[in-house]
Amino acid sequence: MIKNDLFLRALKGETVNRPPVWMMRQAGRYLPEFIAIREKYDFFTRCRTPELASEITVQPIRRYGMDAAILFSDILVIPQAMNIEVQMKPNFGPYLPNPVRTQKDVDNVIVPDVTVELDYVYQAIKATKELLNDDIPLIGFAGSPWTILCYCVQGQGSKTFDKAKEFCFTNPIAAHQLLQKITDTTIAYLKEKVKAGVNAVQIFDSWGGMLSPVDYQEFSWQYINQIIEALKDDAPVIAFGKGCWFALGDMAKSNASALGVDWTCSPRNARYLSGGNITLQGNFDPSRLLSPPSEIKKMVHQMINEFGKDKYIVNLGHGILPNIPLDHAKAFIDAVKEYSPS
């Protein structure tokens, strides 16, 4: 049994004294202990070495005591396993030297045996579970099929993902084949993660907000929903679409246990758009962690009051930034732990 199961109780919609708290990208580049490891090992070595990935996962827990840990990994391990080369370039980000642009390229993409190609992830989960000692739950994650397609077709990060959208709109048959291959791989991958010991999974649709509401249904949501349906009996699923406030109504009708919300949607609107019955997660602007700690605490308490303490998980509206002072991150976590309903 997990000793602190506050996060899991919030996912079930149970009544709690205070909401649970964790931060997207909490295992990462704002922590000096992470930077020390980064100086010794390149990005994918950190992902592929279970003792490094597990150590990085628990670093923020030791320092701040969040209510959940999220496995240190990357969404792009999926295309790597699917026969698509992915590099991580310092000061640039992901780079895919041979982007998928044609039907032939899609035909060359495989649906791998995830138990073989991604075994290092499951080993990292087992190592992390030992370090966590059932103190708190562990979250596993994957990118949404649309977000993975964005990188596979664009070949790198982008402000518009114009090439990815062009591919979908000019070659929809090939695009849907690629999306389905990514979906099938992701389902198998997440199921193995649950078997290895994660207590919940989150789907990151980081680039969902690039699509119009109509295109979102066609190229993103239907595939996310396939994943939710496949996983719903195995573990709670959190669906997070950045910039996807327009889809909260449809998302809330799914079997997701919770929906992530970014900082562009107010708590009141998020509750309204999602129908008021589903657990929500978010939505503090990551840049607001640059505000003075006293102000952070006030804003966090206000945010909890606006969402309501039940059916709510405190988080940022996207990943923590690398330039956040350590005591500001601490103020964010402590504010939640100190919360009592007024």
Side-chain angles (χ1 to χ4, degrees), residues 212-227:
S212 73
V214 172
D215 291 332
Y216 188 73
Q217 292 297 326
E218 180 178 353
F219 294 103
S220 188
W221 175 247
Q222 65 162 319
Y223 295 100
I224 294 174
N225 201 39
Q226 275 188 50
I227 299 168

Side-chain angles (χ1 to χ4, degrees), residues 64-258:
Y64 299 119
M66 290 85 168
D67 297 303
I70 184 162
L71 186 74
F72 175 75
S73 185
D74 194 80
I75 63 172
L76 297 177
V77 300
I78 288 269
Q80 278 184 331
M82 297 176 73
N83 204 26
I84 299 168
E85 187 185 349
V86 182
Q87 302 169 6
M88 194 62 74
K89 289 191 171 182
N91 306 316
F92 180 83
Y95 177 69
L96 292 75
N98 306 300
V100 178
R101 301 274 169 87
T102 65
Q103 179 67 55
K104 187 167 180 289
D105 293 338
V106 174
D107 294 340
N108 288 333
V109 174
I110 62 165
V111 175
D113 180 344
V114 294
T115 60
V116 176
E117 296 299 325
L118 293 161
D119 182 62
Y120 62 87
V121 179
Y122 317 129
Q123 297 310 318
I125 290 167
K126 288 167 187 167
T128 304
K129 291 293 281 188
E130 277 187 36
L131 291 177
L132 289 174
N133 194 28
D134 285 337
D135 285 338
I136 54 171
L138 177 62
I139 304 163
F141 69 91
S144 74
W146 158 254
T147 288
I148 300 296
L149 175 142
C150 279
Y151 287 106
C152 291
V153 177
Q154 196 80 23
Q156 60 187 71
S158 167
K159 285 192 165 66
T160 59
F161 285 101
D162 53 335
K163 291 182 175 74
K165 290 172 86 167
E166 179 186 359
F167 178 67
C168 288
F169 303 157
T170 59
N171 205 343
I173 292 170
H176 283 297
Q177 285 173 352
L178 179 57
L179 286 163
Q180 192 59 55
K181 283 183 174 185
I182 298 167
T183 302
D184 295 344
T185 305
T186 303
I187 288 169
Y189 173 58
L190 290 176
K191 280 184 172 279
E192 286 299 321
K193 276 190 162 178
V194 175
K195 277 189 208 161
V198 301
N199 305 98
V201 298
Q202 175 155 316
I203 302 163
F204 283 86
D205 195 9
S206 304
W207 307 122
M210 297 278 170
L211 294 165
S212 73
V214 172
D215 291 332
Y216 188 73
Q217 292 297 326
E218 180 178 353
F219 294 103
S220 188
W221 175 247
Q222 65 162 319
Y223 295 100
I224 294 174
N225 201 39
Q226 275 188 50
I227 299 168
I228 294 168
E229 285 300 303
L231 267 290
K232 67 177 196 278
D233 297 328
D234 301 349
V237 182
I238 304 167
F240 170 61
K242 184 168 179 284
C244 300
W245 60 269
F246 55 79
L248 284 172
D250 289 315
M251 291 167 132
K253 296 186 185 94
S254 74
N255 283 302
S257 293

Side-chain angles (χ1 to χ4, degrees), residues 295-312:
E295 206 172 314
I296 291 169
K297 289 196 173 186
K298 264 189 222 145
M299 292 172 76
V300 169
H301 288 162
Q302 185 181 345
M303 179 172 75
I304 297 170
N305 287 335
E306 288 179 13
F307 273 106
K309 71 175 173 64
D310 295 325
K311 294 186 181 172
Y312 178 49

Side-chain angles (χ1 to χ4, degrees), residues 42 45 57 131 157 176 182 189 233 268 272 280 297 331 342:
D42 71 71
T45 300
T57 301
L131 291 177
H176 283 297
I182 298 167
Y189 173 58
D233 297 328
R268 183 180 169 186
Y272 172 75
L280 296 178
K297 289 196 173 186
S342 45

